[in-house]
Amino acid sequence: MKKLKNVTVLDHPLINHKIAILRSVETHTKDFRELVEEITTLLTYEAFKDAPTQEVEVQTPLEKCTQRMIAENSIAVVPVLRAGLGMVAGVHTLFPTAKVGHIGLYRDEETLRPQEYYCKLPDGIENKRVIVLDPMLATGGSAVAAIDMLKKRGCKDIRQMSIIAAPEGVEKLATAHPDVHIFVAYLDRELNEHGYILPGLGDAGDRLFGTK
Ligand code: PRP
Ligand code: URA
C-alpha cells in the first residue's frame, strides 16, 4: 500500500501483543470484549493528541495556575452498530464526557454494500470533532457511508478509529474522504473473496456479542 498522509498506524509492542490475543480463535467473548476496549483506549490516546483545548484556571493547594483542558462539549464518538459499540467504553475510560451518537449499518452479504438502518446523533454534532468507531475497516464501504451520513448532517471535523484495517479499505476511505484522518491499530494483508480481512479476527460483531 502506498504511504498515505492522513493515516496513522499504531506500531507499538503493547498493541501488537493485545492484537495477537484478540485474533486467536481461542479467545472467547469476555476477553475479546476487554481487549477491544483496551486497544481502543490506546488508540484514543493517539487520536486525542491534537484535541481542541481551552485554558482554565485551577486553584491547587498552593496557588492558582492556568492549565489547558479539552474544550467542553467539543468531542463526540459515533460507533457504527454493532461492532463499534464495543469501542465506546475504551474511549470513555480516558474521556468520560465524550457524547455518543449511533449509526446503524450492516453489510449486505452478497453485494458487500452497506445498508443504513439507524442514525441518532447528539445535538450540535456539526460543531464537534467526531470520531467514528468501528473495529473493522474491510472494504471501507461502511466507513465511507457512515462519514457520508455525518457530512450530510453538517459535520466537518471527522476522524475514523479502527482496530484492524485492510489496505483496500484504507485506500477507499482515504480517496472518498481525504480530509478524514484514519487511526488504525494494525494494518492487515488483504481481503478474501467474501470481504473478510486476512489474517483478521473473523466477524467482530459476532465475537463481541457471542452471536455465533
Ligand atoms: C462489520 C464491521 C464494519 C463492516 C466493515 O459490520 O463492524 O461495520 O463490517 O466492512 P466494510 O469495511 O467492508 O464495510 P457488519 O456489517 O458485519 O455488521 P455488524 O457489526 O452488525 O455485525
Ligand atoms: N467485518 C468483520 O467483522 N470482519 C471482517 O473481517 C470484515 C468485515
Side-chain angles (χ1 to χ4, degrees), residues 80-84 105-107 112 114 117 134-143 195 203-206:
V80 175
L81 309 180
R82 293 174 299 167
L105 290 172
Y106 69 91
R107 281 199 321 181
L112 298 183
Y117 63 88
D134 194 331
M136 307 306 278
L137 181 58
T139 65
S142 303
D203 187 303
D206 285 335

Side-chain angles (χ1 to χ4, degrees), residues 17-19 21-22 27 30-40 163:
H17 180 91
K18 288 180 188 295
I19 286 195
I21 309 171
L22 189 72
T27 300
K30 177 174 183 287
D31 290 340
F32 190 89
R33 211 181 280 141
E34 287 173 5
L35 284 158
V36 165
E37 282 183 29
E38 289 169 0
I39 295 166
T40 303
I163 292 183

Side-chain angles (χ1 to χ4, degrees), residues 40 77-80 83-85 87-88 91 131-135 160-161:
T40 303
V77 292
V78 177
V80 175
L85 286 176
M87 298 175 75
V88 175
V91 176
I131 306 178
V132 177
L133 307 178
D134 194 331
Q160 169 81 22
M161 201 193 275

Side-chain angles (χ1 to χ4, degrees), residues 83 107 134-139 164 191-192 194-206:
R107 281 199 321 181
D134 194 331
M136 307 306 278
L137 181 58
T139 65
I164 292 188
L191 295 176
N192 72 10
H194 306 293
Y196 274 82
I197 300 176
L198 296 175
L201 49 73
D203 187 303
D206 285 335

Side-chain angles (χ1 to χ4, degrees), residues 12-175:
H12 191 287
L14 267 175
I15 295 261
N16 297 346
H17 180 91
K18 288 180 188 295
I19 286 195
I21 309 171
L22 189 72
R23 288 187 195 283
S24 170
V25 70
E26 309 284 335
T27 300
H28 295 296
T29 306
K30 177 174 183 287
D31 290 340
F32 190 89
R33 211 181 280 141
E34 287 173 5
L35 284 158
V36 165
E37 282 183 29
E38 289 169 0
I39 295 166
T40 303
T41 300
L42 295 169
L43 275 166
T44 302
Y45 180 78
E46 187 65 28
F48 272 55
K49 262 190 176 158
D50 63 346
T53 60
Q54 64 191 22
E55 205 165 85
V56 294
E57 197 169 84
V58 183
Q59 174 74 58
T60 81
L62 302 174
E63 62 176 25
K64 271 194 180 141
C65 66
T66 54
Q67 175 73 47
R68 297 204 73 82
M69 287 181 83
I70 296 177
E72 213 174 308
N73 276 322
S74 61
I75 298 193
V77 292
V78 177
V80 175
L81 309 180
R82 293 174 299 167
L85 286 176
M87 298 175 75
V88 175
V91 176
H92 278 160
T93 295
L94 290 186
F95 193 63
T97 56
K99 307 286 185 232
V100 185
H102 296 86
I103 284 180
L105 290 172
Y106 69 91
R107 281 199 321 181
D108 179 299
E109 292 199 357
E110 297 290 308
T111 64
L112 298 183
R113 293 179 63 82
Q115 310 294 313
E116 180 183 328
Y117 63 88
Y118 191 72
C119 184
K120 177 79 181 165
L121 301 171
D123 287 348
I125 188 127
E126 63 281 2
N127 298 317
K128 298 186 195 302
R129 171 166 298 178
V130 182
I131 306 178
V132 177
L133 307 178
D134 194 331
M136 307 306 278
L137 181 58
T139 65
S142 303
V144 169
I147 293 166
D148 284 343
M149 288 165 74
L150 290 167
K151 286 189 174 172
K152 223 188 278 168
R153 287 159 178 84
C155 299
K156 297 169 282 295
D157 181 1
I158 305 173
R159 277 130 212 255
Q160 169 81 22
M161 201 193 275
S162 293
I163 292 183
I164 292 188
E168 296 90 328
V170 172
E171 276 174 20
K172 179 170 181 159
L173 177 53
T175 303

